[in-house]
Amino acid sequence: MIHFKSKLPKTATTIFTVMSKLAADHNAINLSQGFPDYDAPAELTGLVSKYMEQGKNQYAPMAGVPLLRERVCEKVQDLYGTYYDPETEITITAGGTQAIFTAIAATVQAGDEVIVFEPAYDSYAPTVKLFGGLVKPFELSPPDYKIDWQMVRKLISSRTKMIILNSPQNPTGVILDEEDIKQLIAITRGTDILILSDEVYEHLIYDGKEHLSMARFPELSERSFITCSFGKLFHTTGWKIGYCLAPKELMNEFKKVHQFLVFSVNTPMQYAIADFLSNKGYYHELSSYFQSKRDYFRSMMSATRFNLLPCYGSYFQNAEIRHLTEEKDTDFVKRLTTEFGVAAIPTSAFYNKGTDYGVIRFCFAKKEETLEKAVNLLTKV
Ligand code: GLN
């Protein structure tokens, strides 16, 4: 028997894998893991075939196909008015999660403290721990998940290396506002604190609100890694392609890790995305596309006994369940899947301590008929 010490003794299989498997095993409608059940634009998939047939099948340059980096540069400039140099400040990654991992791996050292706002996407904390970092969780609570910046200040020490932000936030659907940005600038001014800003839901923001990317604010962008996802943009989560933006010095460190983690990202899809991105209208229309899904889902859900929390962004709708059950949220979602036929995500999975506020998350990036069938089943709860 070989003995070895686990590097992540407390980490179990991610909740997204657990719930998607449970949904598949019980033939339930899967509103758990966040992914669309409809296809990417046909023009985009056609372009992938085209570039494969054209022989774009060998390694891409390490940081990504140059044309795609240029298109990302144009997109960021178009949306946020900031220029990132395609040569030195943009890297194409194998999805948002790899970008997040790489930014942490490249910067966090043993004993460094990293502030994480919870509920948080489940990759942040284990990745920080893997590199000897200490996670300083800052718990946010329903219904508004507002950040109390005075309390955040108390968490900051000389060992604070990084603050991880995620707006629009998974799982809550809340977004950072102008006041949050002001506070963030004030807190980080004059320090060497880095920001890892997970902005994969940047285009999924509703009711006329604007996404406050770190890229918009020079005092924040100078210290930020910004991670983004083409999966969310093109309904292609399975392609696992995203990108990272950072100032040159930070990006240089990022690339040192990226080159040995994945070396480069699959080539024909990068060409296809670069080609497709010349159509700027596409990403400008995405928020109204998802907003109508949100509104449709919310209006149907009013026929159920679930209490819906606000959703300002992302493709997640959260619902309170305390009045429906005494069970833990993890047990409730299992029963919801096996007895009622709809899978959801328990938000306790997004807290370091497993804090259970009795809130579960539904993904509404689904066809209307899927949402209708799901809500029909949920009315029986
Ligand atoms: N980001 C997606 C979600 O929150 C899933 C990511 C994953 O499965 N790794 O559901």
Side-chain angles (χ1 to χ4, degrees), residues 14 16-17 32-34 97 121 170 201 232 240 316 350 361:
T14 171
F16 308 115
T17 298
S32 65
Q33 189 177 25
T97 305
Y121 182 52
N170 179 7
Y201 300 102
K232 314 296 184 288
K240 297 297 302 174
F316 303 119
F350 294 76
R361 187 197 86 174

Side-chain angles (χ1 to χ4, degrees), residues 275-343:
D275 197 332
F276 191 80
L277 264 181
S278 55
N279 169 11
K280 293 206 174 58
Y282 177 84
Y283 57 78
H284 284 293
E285 279 151 28
L286 210 63
S287 64
S288 64
Y289 172 81
F290 277 109
Q291 183 168 326
S292 48
K293 287 203 180 291
R294 178 202 66 170
D295 294 346
Y296 189 58
F297 184 59
R298 284 181 69 91
S299 73
M300 282 195 297
M301 282 295 282
S302 61
T304 71
R305 293 169 64 220
F306 291 91
N307 283 345
L308 300 187
L309 293 176
C311 167
Y312 304 102
S314 81
Y315 46 42
F316 303 119
Q317 174 61 57
N318 288 263
E320 288 177 326
I321 55 164
R322 265 296 151 267
H323 58 296
L324 299 177
T325 179
E326 308 238 293
E327 292 158 285
K328 290 200 293 202
D329 64 352
T330 42
D331 293 332
F332 180 77
V333 292
K334 280 184 191 143
R335 200 161 62 78
L336 195 64
T337 311
T338 57
E339 288 180 22
F340 292 92
V342 180

Side-chain angles (χ1 to χ4, degrees), residues 240-254:
K240 297 297 302 174
I241 304 188
Y243 56 94
C244 182
L245 312 170
K248 190 173 164 190
E249 294 69 28
L250 295 181
M251 186 50 80
N252 197 33
E253 295 304 309
F254 183 98

Side-chain angles (χ1 to χ4, degrees), residues 22-40:
L22 195 69
D25 290 350
H26 291 84
N27 217 1
I29 298 179
N30 190 1
L31 304 189
S32 65
Q33 189 177 25
F35 63 88
D37 69 344
Y38 42 87
D39 225 338

